Amino acid sequence: MEQPIKSEVIADTKADGSSQDNSSLNAQVAGDKGVTVGPHGQTLDQAYWYIQEAGHHGVENTNINMQALRRKIDWCIVPIMFCCYTMQFIDKVSLNYAAVMGMPKELKLKGNEFTNAATWFFIAYLIAEVPNGRAQSPIFSSQWYTKSEAAPRFSIWYAGLGLGQIIGGIVSYAFQQVKHPSFSGWKIMFVVLGLVTVVIGFVTFFVLPDSPMTARFLSEAEKVALLKHVSANQTGITQKRYRPKQALEVLLDIQLWLMTLVTILVCPIKDAWHIRD
C-alpha cells in the first residue's frame, strides 16, 4: 500500500546513524511555524518540499496521464464548488424573497427597518467571507489547474450563480403557496435553505481538500505530477509566512479595484427589484 509522504525536511543518514542536511536542498525550518526558507533566505513553498521528499522516497510520476488526472480532479472539485456558488447566491437573496412573501408586514417593520436588517446581514456575510474566501477565490483554482485550465472551470463555478437565480425564483414561488397560521412560508423557506446550505458546508469541509498534498483521492504519484504541472503558474500552493510586500502588491493591483467596483455597481441593480414604494 502506498505510504503518504509527510512534509518535512529531508536529511541524509550518515554511516554512524546520525543525520545531516541534504546538501542539494540546503534549507532549514524557520522556528516552530513550519515555514521553510532556502539558503539565501528566500521563502520556499511547501509544495517544493513535498516534491523533493517524493523523489527521496522514490515516487515516480512519469506514467501519469494528465488528461485523466484533470478529469479526476474535475469530478471531485467542480461539483462542490458549483453547489457552493449556487447556495451562496440563494442565501444572499433569500431576504429579498422573504420581503415579497410578506415578512415586513408580518413583522410590522417600518421605515428603514427592513433595509437596516439587510445591511446587518451583509455585514455578517462580509465578516464570514474572511475565513471562507480561500475556497471561493481564483487562488484556490491555481492549486489544481494552470491558468489556461482554470478559466473554464471557474466559469462553471460562476454559472452556479445563474442556477441560483433560477432555483431561487422557483423556491420563492413554491413557499408562497404554503399556508400555515403559525409558521409562514418565508419562515419555512429560511429553515429549508439554511439546512441545505449547512449540509453542503459540511460536505465541502470534509470532502474538499486544502491542497493537492492533502487530497485523499489522489495517489502520491498523481500529487507530484499535479504539483509539477501547476508550477507553471508560479503562484505556489501553501505558504504560511505572511509577507507585507505581497499584501501591498495585492492592494495596488488595479484588477482588484476594478472587480470591487463592478461588484458594487452590480449589487444595487440586482437588488432593486424588491424595492417598493
Side-chain angles (χ1 to χ4, degrees):
M1 183 177 179
E2 198 172 35
Q3 297 297 323
I5 299 173
K6 297 180 180 179
S7 295
E8 57 187 13
V9 178
I10 308 171
D12 287 333
T13 303
K14 296 181 180 179
D16 60 0
S18 61
S19 61
Q20 63 180 5
D21 291 339
N22 190 312
S23 59
S24 64
L25 300 180
N26 191 22
Q28 60 182 349
V29 177
D32 58 355
K33 298 181 180 180
V35 178
T36 52
V37 295
H40 304 293
Q42 74 273 29
T43 304
L44 300 178
D45 192 89
Q46 291 184 5
Y48 169 83
W49 291 115
Y50 196 93
I51 294 175
Q52 293 294 335
E53 292 181 26
H56 183 72
H57 287 81
V59 175
E60 298 289 341
N61 65 294
T62 55
N63 296 324
I64 300 299
N65 185 322
M66 289 307 302
Q67 186 175 1
L69 180 58
R70 279 194 296 268
R71 286 198 300 268
K72 186 177 183 180
I73 295 172
D74 286 343
W75 282 110
C76 294
I77 302 295
V78 175
I80 295 178
M81 296 302 299
F82 183 84
C83 290
C84 286
Y85 269 75
T86 300
M87 291 310 303
Q88 67 98 5
F89 176 83
I90 294 178
D91 284 344
K92 286 193 295 185
V93 299
S94 59
L95 193 62
N96 297 342
Y97 296 147
V100 299
M101 293 170 67
M103 184 187 76
K105 182 178 180 180
E106 185 173 341
L107 297 180
K108 299 178 181 180
L109 300 179
K110 300 178 182 179
N112 294 327
E113 290 179 338
F114 176 79
T115 303
N116 293 338
T119 300
W120 283 108
F121 168 82
F122 281 101
I123 290 176
Y125 183 85
L126 180 62
I127 296 174
E129 279 290 286
V130 174
N132 192 44
R134 179 196 63 80
Q136 296 188 13
S137 68
I139 298 176
F140 176 74
S141 64
S142 68
Q143 294 182 330
W144 301 93
Y145 306 102
T146 62
K147 294 179 180 179
S148 60
E149 295 168 348
R153 272 81 177 182
F154 192 73
S155 65
I156 294 176
W157 303 353
Y158 209 78
L161 301 181
L163 180 64
Q165 289 179 314
I166 298 173
I167 295 178
I170 296 174
V171 168
S172 175
Y173 175 78
F175 284 106
Q176 287 181 47
Q177 312 309 311
V178 177
K179 308 297 181 183
H180 194 281
S182 60
F183 208 57
S184 305
W186 62 270
K187 296 179 181 179
I188 301 176
M189 180 186 69
F190 279 161
V191 172
V192 172
L193 293 180
L195 289 175
V196 173
T197 301
V198 169
V199 170
I200 293 178
F202 273 107
V203 171
T204 303
F205 181 81
F206 288 107
V207 176
L208 196 67
D210 292 333
S211 72
M213 296 175 290
T214 60
R216 290 177 291 182
F217 60 87
L218 296 179
S219 67
E220 298 300 334
E222 289 174 331
K223 293 176 183 178
V224 172
L226 177 62
L227 291 174
K228 291 182 177 180
H229 179 66
V230 300
S231 64
N233 293 331
Q234 298 183 343
T235 57
I237 302 296
T238 302
Q239 180 56 260
K240 296 182 179 180
R241 191 177 194 179
Y242 174 73
R243 304 183 67 180
K245 181 180 178 181
Q246 292 180 339
L248 180 62
E249 184 179 348
V250 171
L251 293 176
L252 295 178
D253 188 348
I254 186 63
Q255 296 183 62
L256 171 66
W257 295 108
L258 288 175
M259 288 298 297
T260 302
L261 179 62
V262 168
T263 303
I264 293 175
L265 294 177
V266 166
C267 287
I269 299 174
K270 180 185 65 178
D271 297 334
W273 66 270
H274 81 271
I275 300 177
R276 296 180 296 177
D277 295 333

